[in-house]
């Protein structure tokens, strides 16, 4: 069962996850982080940046793999996930740029980009801690409903709903690419620790489907039931549709603190 941690808000969740990442890097200086984009993980990166400024830690060997990328945005487009990861993670945390990879969304490279990316993740020894957000459709990465549980990095078609949700980052909704390249659900399941964050009422239904099932490809988030180490960090609003919320609170309140998340 996923561990569910209910936090007071996005910044408390960010602090909690940033501490876990910091502990990981302290014990494994070449840790491999799985990086999500979108709004949800920003407080994690911001909190980690503050913590690294106040109490420096060598991050020069930390490696990272982003979950996904839009297909066909021109190089350097400010909303390409390459640009976002460079700005919001690599530069903010002071990581070595060459240590952080993003799937290649160049249309000319797509036939082999997925396999290349999988090979790179395997060569790095796999992802230690994978940060995840969740879409209102229940997508993890950009694995929209119906995605295979066994899928690896490949091209997918974004749903109109996800394109609408992400239009806030673009000048016009029609500028949001139709296609993306995303780690598969099978890729995500190989990471050693999944940390899924969600805030807000609009995520409550997707969170409930992810945490409490049923396990179905129609709700990609439900794959977390197949993973032995998952932490779901949610605010009250995102937790509001969970049937067993009282039990999750009780379990977390009674957890030995040395276990971390
Ligand atoms: C981003 C990603 C997506 C987002 C999801 C939620 O790399 O893979 O699954 O995590 O769309 O987005 P936000 O956080 O913007 O609500």
């Amino acid at each position: 069962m996923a561990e569910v941690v209910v936090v007071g808000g996005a910044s408390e969740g960010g602090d909690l996850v940033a501490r876990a990442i910091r502990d990981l890097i302290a014990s494994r200086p070449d840790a491999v982080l799985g990086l999500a984009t979108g709004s949800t993980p920003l407080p994690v990166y911001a909190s980690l940046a503050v913590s690294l400024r106040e109490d420096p830690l060598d991050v020069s060997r930390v490696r990272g793999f982003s979950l996904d990328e839009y297909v066909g945005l021109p190089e350097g487009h400010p909303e390409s996930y390459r640009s976002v990861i460079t700005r919001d993670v690599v530069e903010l945390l002071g990581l070595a740029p060459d240590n952080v990879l993003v799937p290649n969304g160049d249309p000319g490279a797509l036939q082999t980009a997925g396999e290349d990316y999988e090979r790179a993740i395997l060569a790095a020894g796999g992802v230690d801690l994978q940060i995840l957000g969740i879409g209102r459709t229940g997508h993890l990465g950009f694995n929209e409903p119906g995605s295979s549980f066994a899928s690896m990095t490949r091209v997918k078609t974004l749903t109109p709903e996800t394109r609408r949700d992400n239009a806030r980052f673009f000048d016009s909704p029609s500028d949001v690419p139709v296609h993306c390249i995303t780690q598969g659900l099978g890729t995500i399941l190989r990471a050693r620790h999944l940390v899924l964050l969600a805030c807000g009422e609009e995520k409550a239904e997707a969170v409930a489907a992810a945490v409490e099932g049923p396990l179905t490809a129609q709700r990609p988030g439900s794959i977390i039931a197949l993973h032995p180490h998952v932490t779901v960090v949610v605010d009250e609003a995102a937790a509001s549709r969970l049937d067993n919320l009282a039990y999750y609170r009780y379990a977390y309140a009674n957890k030995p603190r040395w276990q971390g998340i």
Side-chain angles (χ1 to χ4, degrees):
M1 188 190 93
E3 169 171 69
V4 178
V5 184
V6 184
V7 292
S11 86
E12 189 184 326
D15 291 345
L16 180 80
V17 177
R19 266 197 308 278
I21 296 174
R22 197 192 158 93
D23 290 348
L24 170 67
I25 299 171
S27 69
R28 188 171 171 199
D30 63 347
V32 180
L33 303 178
L35 303 165
T37 46
S39 307
T40 310
L42 294 176
V44 175
Y45 304 138
S47 173
L48 187 55
V50 170
S51 153
L52 291 173
R53 221 173 18 247
E54 289 175 350
D55 187 8
L57 190 66
D58 179 12
V59 294
S60 62
R61 293 166 60 208
V62 170
R63 292 158 299 161
F65 289 91
S66 184
L67 277 172
D68 37 23
E69 176 61 290
Y70 292 113
V71 166
L73 289 182
E75 201 179 326
H77 188 291
E79 294 308 327
S80 76
Y81 283 168
R82 173 80 262 176
S83 298
V84 171
I85 286 287
T86 300
R87 205 167 52 226
D88 295 342
V89 181
V90 174
E91 291 175 356
L92 187 70
L93 302 180
L95 305 185
D98 290 347
N99 286 353
V100 180
L101 300 188
V102 177
N104 188 347
D106 175 354
L110 285 181
Q111 282 193 11
T112 54
E115 278 176 38
D116 292 346
Y117 204 62
E118 291 293 332
R119 253 196 307 276
I121 296 174
L122 288 177
V127 169
D128 291 308
L129 186 152
Q130 175 65 58
I131 301 166
L132 295 167
I134 189 164
R136 287 191 307 134
T137 62
H139 68 220
L140 294 186
F142 275 145
N143 295 281
E144 298 284 26
S147 296
S148 160
F149 290 172
S151 51
M152 297 283 128
T153 306
R154 75 243 184 266
V155 174
K156 289 291 288 181
T157 308
L158 294 171
T159 60
E161 192 177 0
T162 296
R163 291 184 69 223
R164 269 197 304 278
D165 284 346
N166 286 8
R168 67 191 193 278
F169 297 112
F170 291 82
D171 291 339
S172 119
S174 60
D175 289 349
V176 184
V178 172
H179 295 105
C180 62
I181 174 166
T182 180
Q183 286 189 29
L185 295 174
T187 319
I188 291 168
L189 280 175
R190 285 180 177 169
R192 286 180 274 279
H193 181 193
L194 304 182
V195 179
L196 169 60
L197 294 116
C199 281
E201 165 64 27
E202 66 280 8
K203 298 290 176 72
E205 212 261 317
V207 166
V211 174
E212 296 181 336
L215 181 63
T216 164
Q218 292 313 314
R219 305 313 303 254
S222 67
I223 61 141
I224 64 174
L226 297 174
H227 195 286
H229 188 188
V230 184
T231 310
V232 176
V233 180
V234 278
D235 68 358
E236 295 284 348
S240 60
R241 303 261 188 109
L242 291 167
D243 287 339
N244 295 325
L245 187 54
Y247 176 67
Y248 308 139
R249 290 190 204 276
Y250 164 81
Y252 188 65
N254 287 287
K255 182 181 184 181
R257 287 301 138 201
W258 58 263
Q259 286 185 339
I261 58 170

